[in-house]
Amino acid sequence: MAVPKKTSAIKSTSQHLLGIQNLSIIESKKILEEAKAFISLNRSASKKLDILRGKTQINLFFEPSTRTQSSFDLAGKRLGADVMTMNVSNSALKKGETLMDTAMTLNAMHPDIIVIRHQDSGAPNLLSQKVNCAVINAGDGQREHPTQALLDALTIINRKGKIEGLKIAICGDILHSRVARSNIYLMNMLGAEVNVIGPKTLMPSSVERLGVKSFTDMKKGLDKCDIVMMLRLQNERMQGTFLPSKREYYEFFGLTPEKLRFASKDALIMHPGPMNRGVEIDTKLADDINVSLVKEQVELGVAVRMACLKIYCK
Amino acid sequence: MAVPKKTSAIKSTSQHLLGIQNLSIIESKKILEEAKAFISLNRSASKKLDILRGKTQINLFFEPSTRTQSSFDLAGKRLGADVMTMNVSNSALKKGETLMDTAMTLNAMHPDIIVIRHQDSGAPNLLSQKVNCAVINAGDGQREHPTQALLDALTIINRKGKIEGLKIAICGDILHSRVARSNIYLMNMLGAEVNVIGPKTLMPSSVERLGVKSFTDMKKGLDKCDIVMMLRLQNERMQGTFLPSKREYYEFFGLTPEKLRFASKDALIMHPGPMNRGVEIDTKLADDINVSLVKEQVELGVAVRMACLKIYCK
Amino acid sequence: MAVPKKTSAIKSTSQHLLGIQNLSIIESKKILEEAKAFISLNRSASKKLDILRGKTQINLFFEPSTRTQSSFDLAGKRLGADVMTMNVSNSALKKGETLMDTAMTLNAMHPDIIVIRHQDSGAPNLLSQKVNCAVINAGDGQREHPTQALLDALTIINRKGKIEGLKIAICGDILHSRVARSNIYLMNMLGAEVNVIGPKTLMPSSVERLGVKSFTDMKKGLDKCDIVMMLRLQNERMQGTFLPSKREYYEFFGLTPEKLRFASKDALIMHPGPMNRGVEIDTKLADDINVSLVKEQVELGVAVRMACLKIYCK
């Protein structure tokens, strides 16, 4: 974790939100602070501001997404922006070239902000070098999903009052997860202690370098944890080389009431969604409003995206 | 027809519009009354109000639809709402679970109203139990399509001045039609006499219990009718067990100028669209502006949806 | 070129923008003049007007399109219109009937303007006869793409100060190109001299009747040209009867720095996009901001569409 060089920054070093790795503590806290104000707006009867009136927001989604796309769409509209969403089918397109030609075309139309999701790691960075507007990464390959980590942080702060000093477990397919990566960076930066738990085949080889402790045993990994973040298991991992079977995965790594008892007494559960009920999480546990923060994550997600749009939109 | 218990209600007993069956006479008349004001707005040069400014409307369509979706989309935008439309492909999804997880996710984003179309009867009811916002049913399986019946009622009132005392024929695939069901409930409630006409294989077994007379002969069924509502014949019924052939269907149940003569002299024709020209209706008759109300139904549909959005949006 | 009869018109003879062929010089110049004002608006920090507030714009796209659809979408939103975009899959539909039934349905919803792209030549004309609102052709079959020609004209004027007296080459698949047709009409009308260049198999038989000179040799065709417009080569032409191979096409008709030297010393390059790099144009040349106007074409495209929406929207 290369935290020191970032904490020294006082102002945003970047005009883009490409990843938590590029974010200073001050920037992170500013986003979280701004987002808090939007939580209550979203709960009120009238959810409309004129902050981004006259601004153009383009949602450029190369991968399908229900919740992230909806969340950014509503966030922009509630701030008064003109929002245009483009779902770019990738099947017929040559990657790379397409992204750049699409970027050049959209940039010429003078958007103020582009929200991009792409299956290739680093695509938002490439895009940001070619356009004049701000770029927000809404998930790139297996690299980062910064607004997911920020909404997770806001959700934890909303419930636990802080992140500093907490012990947070991230469980599942750490290897392929951009959610895990962004959360490791952010939770570490904000002063939490992070455990990652998963089968060896789904664990990056030198994950400890990211400043976490790594476990293959839920009992040990969950010990004294205040927050248990479950990751979505991609269907394509569930057979073949990575995992023997869904059933066996659930047996060892699926979060059940029994396994949750290994964690702290008042531990709370999170999941970025959509959930594979009965695979990575017990379905009753997922819906238990006493311990599951899943709904709150979605709710505060809109507030976090509103904050990001407000801050990065020039 | 369980009308009595509903007529006693003075205020809306429900915060959702799930079906005509759940609606009182007073509620129906209130929607129709509100809708009248929007007819002239939609015909004017400037079609924009701020009534729903600050409100979020989500159109959640699990079945594709051109006219109903467009109608709700324009209705919401003209009232100033922030409108987000989601076309949810069902192919890859497990039904039920998906609806509920999608509902939970969307609900957490604080919409004020969700307009839902779903292939399963009862899906909007299920949804309404899980969300905090108002739900409007835009068609569910073979159950109800309440805004279609309401726009049909408004169209009739607009032309005939009333519904009470009229004789209305509904012709075609009564068995599978949510449009037929909603219209039977509403026209009955508003004091019309309703005949249903169709082949035996497409007629519910004890349809008379709904308060209608049932016919398999167009000549008898259309006798003295003021309104002839034709239903769309789904392509999947046109072969196999339900119907011998399109040609034979047209011969016996397709509305032609000859068959229309069995009805009242000044009878008017309706169709919810899209029409199968040459199957359930003669193409010239469909376009004859002296007898066909098809265009007017679409036009007043926007007004009815505006009224529903205004009334149900909290 | 039947220019004379058009130049006599002082006011718009049409309420629709169906093609450059139906446009007078005065109308063309009015659109270009209006568009100029929008160039600077689009470059400013706040890009929002209320000119079309209360108006409904429907984008009806029967063919997929990224840039034209985005351009019209943003143009309408920036002018304050309620914009609804419909992507109509054609696979399942019977052509013709569908267009007309869709048109009738949409027209009944009282749009103020319909922007249509359709694979059949003449579809926008047919549509315009059936609706009460203004129709803008966003590309129909192999006939016209008037807003593309208008944005090309605006781009040339923006750089060269005028069109009159310029020599313009249009190169590639003239036979199938609606962009070529609209540009031939418009550039001729505005006083340019037009050369068309392409292989014989992709050249209309009596193209000279349109008022152009025709060449099969780039060297001769580009001689003294101030503007070189390259056309997109459709993938479906690249094999079989029209062309032997991509490679051979590039050899003879692909624009390279070498071939560009045949043109005027300060010649500028245009392309309607999306480009087939290495087929009709050298990739470095396409990106060379000293000679390539590709980005500017996209940029000014939004301004031209805003002007058209403003002028034609009743």
Side-chain angles (χ1 to χ4, degrees):
Chain A
M1 284 298 302
V3 173
K5 77 169 192 286
K6 284 168 203 158
T7 53
S8 61
I10 295 214
K11 213 189 140 330
S12 174
T13 52
S14 164
Q15 57 172 331
H16 308 289
L17 179 56
L18 301 175
I20 301 295
Q21 254 195 318
N22 315 98
L23 216 60
S24 69
I25 288 192
I26 290 174
E27 287 170 304
S28 311
K29 289 189 173 170
K30 189 183 165 196
I31 294 171
L32 296 171
E33 204 51 51
E34 286 274 6
K36 277 180 193 166
F38 293 123
I39 299 175
S40 49
L41 180 83
N42 287 332
R43 289 176 182 170
S44 72
S46 184
K47 292 170 282 287
K48 188 85 178 184
L49 297 174
D50 279 333
I51 293 175
L52 296 188
R53 185 178 154 84
K55 303 296 182 188
T56 300
Q57 172 191 337
I58 298 181
N59 300 326
L60 183 58
F61 277 67
F62 289 85
E63 274 184 353
S65 151
T66 298
R67 74 184 59 206
T68 306
Q69 186 178 301
S70 302
S71 190
F72 273 111
D73 188 280
L74 290 182
K77 285 174 176 166
R78 286 178 182 170
L79 291 175
D82 286 323
V83 183
M84 182 170 74
T85 294
M86 297 182 62
N87 284 293
V88 187
S89 160
N90 247 330
S91 52
L93 305 176
K94 291 168 209 150
K95 291 170 199 173
E97 190 195 46
T98 291
L99 173 63
M100 281 310 105
D101 275 349
T102 303
M104 198 192 72
T105 299
L106 294 179
N107 187 51
M109 295 182 189
H110 295 294
D112 296 281
I113 200 153
I114 296 178
V115 176
I116 179 174
R117 165 163 292 193
H118 200 281
Q119 65 282 5
D120 293 340
S121 303
N125 303 55
L126 194 58
L127 179 70
S128 72
Q129 292 159 18
K130 302 286 181 181
V131 297
N132 304 109
C133 68
V135 172
I136 293 185
N137 179 4
D140 65 323
Q142 300 173 3
R143 208 181 64 87
E144 283 237 35
H145 190 354
T147 58
Q148 178 69 43
L150 287 160
L151 75 87
D152 288 339
L154 187 64
T155 307
I156 295 170
I157 292 168
N158 209 36
R159 279 290 189 107
K160 296 280 190 186
K162 57 162 189 178
I163 286 179
E164 197 163 3
L166 292 187
K167 200 166 165 190
I168 297 173
I170 306 178
C171 316
D173 180 359
I174 309 295
L175 181 61
H176 300 98
S177 174
R178 56 196 179 206
V179 174
R181 238 157 228 80
S182 288
N183 262 312
I184 289 170
Y185 296 134
L186 186 61
M187 299 306 158
N188 251 327
M189 190 199 291
L190 297 176
E193 190 180 324
V194 181
N195 286 357
V196 294
I197 316 170
K200 265 190 189 170
T201 50
L202 295 176
M203 189 66 74
S205 55
S206 44
V207 68
E208 282 84 0
R209 286 197 202 162
L210 298 176
V212 301
K213 285 183 193 157
S214 143
F215 299 85
T216 54
D217 178 350
M218 289 283 273
K219 186 168 180 177
K220 290 179 186 166
L222 291 179
D223 186 46
K224 298 200 182 70
C225 280
D226 304 287
I227 298 289
V228 184
M229 285 188 182
M230 302 308 297
L231 299 174
R232 175 175 172 78
L233 192 66
Q234 303 294 323
N235 279 309
E236 56 269 33
R237 321 281 181 223
M238 287 182 199
Q239 47 196 18
T241 53
F242 290 113
L243 291 173
S245 74
K246 279 191 204 185
R247 211 193 129 105
E248 203 170 313
Y249 184 84
Y250 184 68
E251 180 70 23
F252 288 104
F253 297 99
L255 190 65
T256 55
E258 294 71 39
K259 293 203 196 81
L260 186 59
R261 269 179 228 122
F262 302 142
S264 168
K265 212 174 152 187
D266 56 353
L268 298 173
I269 305 170
M270 303 178 80
H271 192 296
M275 295 184 280
N276 293 306
R277 294 158 177 274
V279 181
E280 71 253 6
I281 191 164
D282 174 77
T283 191
K284 278 181 210 156
L285 212 50
D287 295 331
D288 182 347
I289 55 167
N290 293 313
V291 294
S292 169
L293 301 180
V294 173
K295 290 179 196 179
E296 217 164 307
Q297 287 172 275
V298 176
E299 184 194 8
L300 303 200
V302 181
V304 159
R305 271 110 196 192
M306 290 172 85
C308 293
L309 291 173
K310 183 185 167 189
I311 290 169
Y312 288 91
C313 206
K314 284 190 284 194
Chain B
M1 286 299 301
V3 174
K5 76 171 193 287
K6 285 168 201 156
T7 53
S8 60
I10 294 213
K11 211 186 141 332
S12 173
T13 51
S14 165
Q15 58 172 330
H16 310 288
L17 179 57
L18 301 175
I20 301 294
Q21 254 196 320
N22 314 99
L23 215 60
S24 68
I25 288 192
I26 290 172
E27 288 170 304
S28 310
K29 289 190 172 169
K30 188 183 166 195
I31 295 171
L32 295 171
E33 203 52 51
E34 286 274 7
K36 278 180 194 168
F38 293 123
I39 299 175
S40 49
L41 179 83
N42 286 332
R43 289 176 182 169
S44 72
S46 184
K47 292 170 282 287
K48 188 83 177 185
L49 296 174
D50 279 333
I51 293 176
L52 297 187
R53 185 178 154 85
K55 303 296 182 187
T56 299
Q57 171 190 337
I58 298 180
N59 301 327
L60 183 58
F61 277 67
F62 290 86
E63 276 183 351
S65 152
T66 300
R67 75 184 59 206
T68 306
Q69 187 177 300
S70 303
S71 190
F72 272 110
D73 188 279
L74 290 182
K77 285 174 176 166
R78 286 180 182 169
L79 292 174
D82 287 324
V83 182
M84 182 170 75
T85 294
M86 300 182 58
N87 285 294
V88 187
S89 160
N90 247 330
S91 52
L93 305 176
K94 293 168 206 149
K95 290 170 200 171
E97 190 195 46
T98 292
L99 173 62
M100 281 310 104
D101 276 350
T102 303
M104 198 192 74
T105 300
L106 294 179
N107 187 51
M109 294 181 190
H110 294 295
D112 297 281
I113 200 153
I114 295 178
V115 176
I116 180 176
R117 165 164 291 193
H118 200 282
Q119 66 283 2
D120 292 341
S121 304
N125 303 57
L126 194 59
L127 179 70
S128 72
Q129 293 159 18
K130 302 287 180 180
V131 298
N132 304 110
C133 67
V135 172
I136 293 184
N137 178 4
D140 65 322
Q142 301 172 3
R143 209 181 64 87
E144 282 236 37
H145 190 355
T147 58
Q148 178 69 44
L150 287 161
L151 76 86
D152 288 339
L154 187 64
T155 307
I156 295 170
I157 292 168
N158 210 36
R159 280 289 189 107
K160 297 281 192 183
K162 56 163 190 178
I163 286 179
E164 197 163 2
L166 292 186
K167 200 168 164 187
I168 296 173
I170 305 178
C171 316
D173 180 359
I174 309 295
L175 182 61
H176 301 98
S177 173
R178 55 197 179 205
V179 175
R181 238 157 227 81
S182 288
N183 262 313
I184 289 171
Y185 296 134
L186 186 61
M187 298 307 157
N188 250 328
M189 189 199 291
L190 297 175
E193 191 180 325
V194 180
N195 286 356
V196 294
I197 317 170
K200 265 188 190 170
T201 50
L202 295 176
M203 189 66 72
S205 55
S206 44
V207 68
E208 282 83 1
R209 283 195 203 164
L210 299 175
V212 300
K213 284 182 193 159
S214 141
F215 298 85
T216 54
D217 178 350
M218 289 283 272
K219 186 168 179 177
K220 290 178 187 167
L222 291 179
D223 186 45
K224 297 199 182 71
C225 282
D226 303 289
I227 297 289
V228 184
M229 286 188 182
M230 301 309 297
L231 299 174
R232 175 175 172 77
L233 193 66
Q234 303 294 324
N235 280 309
E236 58 267 33
R237 319 284 180 219
M238 287 183 199
Q239 47 194 19
T241 53
F242 290 114
L243 291 174
S245 76
K246 279 191 204 184
R247 209 193 130 105
E248 202 170 315
Y249 184 84
Y250 184 68
E251 179 72 22
F252 288 105
F253 297 99
L255 190 64
T256 55
E258 294 71 38
K259 293 202 196 84
L260 186 59
R261 270 182 226 120
F262 302 142
S264 168
K265 213 174 152 186
D266 56 353
L268 296 172
I269 304 171
M270 304 179 79
H271 192 295
M275 295 183 280
N276 292 305
R277 293 157 178 275
V279 180
E280 71 253 5
I281 191 164
D282 174 75
T283 191
K284 278 181 211 156
L285 212 49
D287 295 332
D288 181 347
I289 55 167
N290 292 313
V291 293
S292 169
L293 301 181
V294 173
K295 290 179 196 181
E296 217 164 305
Q297 287 173 275
V298 175
E299 184 194 8
L300 303 199
V302 181
V304 159
R305 272 111 195 188
M306 290 171 86
C308 292
L309 292 172
K310 183 186 167 188
I311 290 170
Y312 288 91
C313 206
K314 282 191 287 195
Chain C
M1 285 300 299
V3 173
K5 77 171 193 285
K6 286 170 201 155
T7 54
S8 60
I10 294 212
K11 211 189 143 327
S12 173
T13 52
S14 165
Q15 57 173 331
H16 309 289
L17 179 57
L18 301 175
I20 302 294
Q21 254 196 317
N22 314 99
L23 216 59
S24 68
I25 288 192
I26 290 173
E27 288 170 304
S28 310
K29 289 190 172 169
K30 189 184 166 193
I31 294 170
L32 296 171
E33 204 51 51
E34 287 274 8
K36 278 181 194 167
F38 293 123
I39 299 176
S40 50
L41 178 84
N42 286 333
R43 288 177 182 169
S44 72
S46 184
K47 293 169 283 288
K48 188 84 176 182
L49 296 174
D50 279 332
I51 292 176
L52 296 188
R53 185 177 154 84
K55 303 297 181 187
T56 299
Q57 171 190 338
I58 298 180
N59 300 326
L60 184 58
F61 276 66
F62 289 86
E63 275 184 353
S65 153
T66 299
R67 74 184 60 206
T68 306
Q69 188 178 300
S70 302
S71 190
F72 273 109
D73 188 280
L74 291 182
K77 285 174 176 166
R78 287 179 182 170
L79 291 175
D82 287 323
V83 182
M84 182 171 75
T85 294
M86 298 182 61
N87 284 294
V88 186
S89 158
N90 248 330
S91 52
L93 304 177
K94 292 166 209 151
K95 291 170 198 171
E97 190 195 47
T98 292
L99 172 63
M100 282 309 106
D101 276 349
T102 303
M104 199 192 72
T105 299
L106 295 179
N107 187 52
M109 295 180 188
H110 294 295
D112 296 282
I113 200 154
I114 296 178
V115 176
I116 179 174
R117 166 164 291 194
H118 200 281
Q119 65 282 5
D120 294 340
S121 304
N125 304 56
L126 194 58
L127 179 70
S128 72
Q129 294 160 17
K130 302 286 180 182
V131 298
N132 303 110
C133 68
V135 172
I136 292 185
N137 179 4
D140 64 323
Q142 302 173 3
R143 208 181 65 86
E144 283 237 34
H145 190 355
T147 59
Q148 178 68 44
L150 287 160
L151 75 87
D152 289 339
L154 186 65
T155 306
I156 295 170
I157 291 168
N158 210 37
R159 280 290 189 106
K160 297 281 190 183
K162 56 163 191 176
I163 286 179
E164 198 162 2
L166 293 186
K167 201 169 165 187
I168 297 173
I170 306 177
C171 316
D173 180 0
I174 310 293
L175 181 61
H176 301 97
S177 172
R178 55 196 178 205
V179 174
R181 239 158 227 81
S182 288
N183 262 313
I184 289 171
Y185 297 133
L186 186 61
M187 298 308 157
N188 249 329
M189 190 199 292
L190 296 176
E193 191 180 325
V194 180
N195 286 357
V196 295
I197 316 171
K200 263 188 190 170
T201 50
L202 295 175
M203 188 66 74
S205 54
S206 43
V207 69
E208 283 85 0
R209 285 196 202 162
L210 298 175
V212 300
K213 284 184 194 158
S214 142
F215 299 85
T216 54
D217 179 349
M218 289 283 272
K219 186 168 180 178
K220 290 178 188 167
L222 291 179
D223 185 47
K224 298 200 181 70
C225 281
D226 305 287
I227 297 290
V228 183
M229 286 188 181
M230 300 309 297
L231 299 174
R232 174 175 172 78
L233 192 66
Q234 304 292 325
N235 280 309
E236 57 268 33
R237 321 280 181 222
M238 287 182 198
Q239 48 195 19
T241 52
F242 290 113
L243 291 174
S245 75
K246 279 192 205 185
R247 210 193 130 102
E248 204 171 314
Y249 184 84
Y250 185 67
E251 180 70 22
F252 288 104
F253 298 99
L255 190 65
T256 56
E258 294 72 38
K259 292 203 196 82
L260 186 58
R261 272 181 226 121
F262 302 141
S264 169
K265 212 174 152 187
D266 55 353
L268 297 171
I269 305 171
M270 304 179 80
H271 192 296
M275 294 184 280
N276 293 305
R277 292 156 178 276
V279 180
E280 72 252 5
I281 192 164
D282 174 75
T283 190
K284 278 182 210 154
L285 210 50
D287 295 331
D288 181 348
I289 55 166
N290 293 313
V291 293
S292 169
L293 301 181
V294 173
K295 289 179 195 179
E296 217 164 307
Q297 287 172 275
V298 175
E299 184 194 8
L300 303 200
V302 181
V304 159
R305 270 110 195 190
M306 290 171 87
C308 293
L309 292 173
K310 183 185 168 190
I311 291 170
Y312 288 92
C313 206
K314 285 189 286 193

